[in-house]
Amino acid sequence: EDTLTIAGREFGSRLFLGTGKFPSNAALRDAIVASGTRMVTVALRRVDLEAADGEGDILDAIDTDEVLLLTNTSGAVDADEAVRLARLARSAGLPDWIKVEVTPDPRYLLPDPIETLRASETLVREGFTVLPYCSADPVLCKHLEEAGCATVMPLGSWIGSNQGLRTKAALEIIVEQSLVPVVVDAGIGAPSQAAE
């Protein structure tokens, strides 16, 4: 098997599945099963433990015996807010695995490299397993690795753009230099792009 190992944990799939834009928990649950993913990202801001719509909370769609729940700090505009969200996730009993997302630009959701590094350094010191969403910048990725991040997650293209690997040349350098797993994050909109 072509397993992926992150922070000593093996995953039988290299596909991470986001939980946004599903029309229902049932559709999300079906997508998780059909994809074979073993890691699902959830924005802490979308978790509602008191959901009253009869559908239940988004967490109800995720079988945490089968997949790892990777809470992300989506919506954070600076390092302080990302750290606060990660601490809230921990205090709510969610796993210590955190996808750091610091995106002050609401239009393109581009990651802030300085604030991402700051948040990642703090969270690593606090014992989180940190997977940072970042620009496809080889120097930044090396700094994140040296800070103790379990992976680096450079963008393929902008979040939600479905443009595929617009940063391929930089990604090749990042993969060549990295001592931690490199996970291409964002902009993947088709199976062929994921395979690439």
Side-chain angles (χ1 to χ4, degrees), residues 50-74:
E50 299 176 4
D53 62 4
E55 176 75 11
D57 182 65
I58 193 169
L59 296 180
D60 296 335
I62 303 167
D63 181 354
T64 55
D65 291 332
E66 294 293 323
V67 299
L68 175 70
L69 180 68
L70 178 63
T71 308
N72 72 39
T73 63
S74 174

Side-chain angles (χ1 to χ4, degrees), residues 40-185:
V40 175
T41 65
V42 176
L44 183 61
R45 292 171 182 250
R46 288 205 298 21
V47 174
D48 179 8
L49 298 176
E50 299 176 4
D53 62 4
E55 176 75 11
D57 182 65
I58 193 169
L59 296 180
D60 296 335
I62 303 167
D63 181 354
T64 55
D65 291 332
E66 294 293 323
V67 299
L68 175 70
L69 180 68
L70 178 63
T71 308
N72 72 39
T73 63
S74 174
V77 298
D78 60 25
D80 292 338
E81 188 173 12
V83 169
R84 182 181 63 79
L85 289 168
R87 289 172 179 160
L88 282 171
R90 175 183 270 171
S91 68
L94 297 171
D96 280 349
W97 287 56
I98 296 291
K99 178 182 175 188
V100 171
E101 284 188 30
V102 181
T103 53
D105 169 26
R107 181 170 181 189
Y108 295 107
L109 300 174
L110 294 171
D112 181 318
I114 296 165
E115 296 297 301
T116 297
L117 180 58
R118 281 188 54 230
S120 296
E121 289 170 335
T122 299
L123 293 172
V124 166
R125 279 194 306 271
E126 293 184 10
F128 287 89
T129 301
V130 178
L131 293 78
Y133 165 61
C134 59
S135 303
D137 177 342
V139 174
L140 172 62
C141 287
K142 188 50 74 173
H143 284 302
L144 289 164
E145 176 186 308
E146 290 168 351
C149 292
T151 68
V152 290
M153 298 178 68
L155 55 81
S157 56
W158 294 268
I159 289 177
S161 70
N162 299 327
Q163 294 181 7
L165 300 183
R166 298 289 183 168
T167 59
K168 188 172 182 177
L171 291 171
E172 289 172 350
I173 295 169
I174 293 165
V175 169
E176 175 189 322
Q177 294 180 345
S178 185
L179 300 176
V180 297
V182 177
V183 178
V184 178
D185 186 12

